[in-house]
Amino acid sequence: MSAEPPAKTGPARSAPKAVTKQARRRRSSGIGAPIARSRFLMIAVAVFVGLGLAWWAATGLEWVKPIFLPSPGSVAAQIAKLATDGTLWLDLTASAYRISIGFLIASALSIPIGVLIGSFRSWEAGIEPLVDFIRYMPVVAFVPLSILWAGTGDTQKFLIIFIGTFFQQVLMIMDNVKRVPADFIGLGRTLGLPDRKILTRIVVPSALPGIWDTLRISLGWAWTWLVLAELVAATSGLGYRITVSQRYFQTNTIIGYILLLGLLGLITDQVMKALEKVLFRQEGHSQ
């Protein structure tokens, strides 16, 4: 009579369960693991709250002099004062108008050019080296030239935004187009479509999610170049107000406007992310 196999002990039976739990933890916290939106928002808010508390403690305990870092209350009071007398809204509308026009001009030109040089090697040979050459030129160096060329009005601000964003956009859109699978283009040729229809019906729709990401990223650069232009030659705008405040050591205004610029950039970025999920939901493209 054969002997019965020994019964499995408790630790042996619990080992697979422990391995399963460990694997689940890795899937929920490993590289690329998704997290709930509520948890994402909680972590993001906690970071901002933590920085705000650190700022409040540093100024409240007088670790830093107010001339270097004013308290959150002082900054909030100054921003409220500028909003009440209309200064804040004047600066905000001026900057919003300039960045909207300048960014739209740069984007409207960079998209078709980027699509062409990403699709045709002859266009790439004629344009890509020149764009690569210009994009390494510092935008700051063009500020005095732009004043000579266009004066100190809004046209000069448009020009600085254009120089700072257009050339980068062209190359990034070119890369977006080159990532379109060759099989898609081959299918168009199999169906007998001419190049024009392959571009409009296959290449551009396939590259649009990537192009939208490019526009979202370059919009952040546009805010930087706008403030640079307003710092040097302007009579209104967020950058102009920072320059004026610097002359009178109004650190609370400077900090307040810097925070406002960060908030505007965050809002525009999140709006474009939300629109991306709506416009390109069928591609499953989301960041």
Side-chain angles (χ1 to χ4, degrees):
M1 185 172 182
S2 60
E4 294 183 359
K8 294 183 179 180
T9 60
R13 287 197 303 268
S14 62
K17 293 183 178 180
V19 173
T20 302
K21 290 181 180 179
Q22 186 178 9
R24 288 176 181 174
R25 283 197 296 268
R26 288 177 180 175
R27 284 197 297 268
S28 62
S29 61
I31 297 175
I35 62 174
R37 183 168 181 81
S38 58
R39 185 183 177 190
F40 181 94
L41 292 175
M42 182 178 65
I43 295 173
V45 171
V47 171
F48 281 95
V49 171
L51 291 175
L53 291 175
W55 179 15
W56 174 80
T59 55
L61 298 175
E62 297 183 352
W63 293 342
V64 183
K65 293 182 179 180
I67 189 65
F68 300 113
L69 182 64
S71 66
S74 173
V75 172
Q78 181 66 8
I79 292 298
K81 176 184 176 183
L82 293 173
T84 302
D85 63 20
T87 302
L88 175 62
W89 307 117
L90 177 64
D91 293 333
L92 184 58
T93 53
S95 293
Y97 164 72
R98 290 162 182 163
I99 194 171
S100 298
I101 301 300
F103 182 72
L104 286 174
I105 293 173
S107 301
L109 292 175
S110 65
I111 291 175
I113 294 175
V115 170
L116 286 175
I117 66 176
S119 302
F120 300 101
R121 295 303 299 272
S122 57
W123 281 84
E124 182 181 358
I127 296 178
E128 193 267 343
L130 176 62
V131 171
D132 250 336
F133 172 72
I134 297 177
R135 78 184 180 100
Y136 284 108
M137 298 179 182
V139 180
V140 178
F142 284 98
V143 172
L145 290 175
S146 66
I147 296 174
L148 292 175
W149 295 339
T152 58
D154 288 339
T155 304
Q156 184 260 346
K157 313 299 180 293
F158 302 154
L159 182 58
I160 289 297
I161 295 172
F162 179 85
I163 295 173
T165 58
F166 169 78
F167 300 99
Q168 307 287 348
Q169 283 180 334
V170 166
L171 296 178
M172 293 177 70
I173 292 172
M174 177 190 70
D175 288 338
N176 297 145
V177 171
K178 286 187 173 183
R179 291 193 186 102
V180 175
D183 291 343
F184 291 5
I185 299 174
L187 176 61
R189 298 195 186 280
T190 301
L191 296 174
L193 296 178
D195 286 347
R196 177 178 58 84
K197 290 187 177 181
I198 290 176
L199 279 180
T200 57
R201 296 184 182 182
I202 297 177
V203 174
V204 172
S206 299
L208 269 180
I211 292 174
W212 187 266
D213 269 346
T214 293
L215 297 180
R216 180 175 63 85
I217 294 170
S218 58
L219 181 58
W221 303 334
W223 277 109
T224 302
W225 305 131
L226 169 71
V227 173
L228 171 66
E230 291 180 341
L231 284 171
V232 177
T235 57
S236 63
L238 300 174
Y240 166 76
R241 196 64 53 193
I242 291 174
T243 304
V244 172
S245 302
Q246 179 185 0
R247 297 172 186 169
Y248 299 100
F249 296 97
Q250 296 175 340
T251 318
N252 50 4
T253 301
I254 297 174
I255 296 293
Y257 269 53
I258 290 174
L259 293 176
L260 180 59
L261 284 166
L263 179 62
L264 291 172
L266 179 62
I267 291 173
T268 54
D269 185 78
Q270 293 302 311
V271 167
M272 292 194 72
K273 276 188 176 181
L275 289 174
E276 178 184 26
K277 293 179 180 179
V278 174
L279 295 174
F280 308 113
R281 185 179 302 169
Q282 65 276 15
E283 281 82 1
H285 183 86
S286 61
Q287 296 295 329

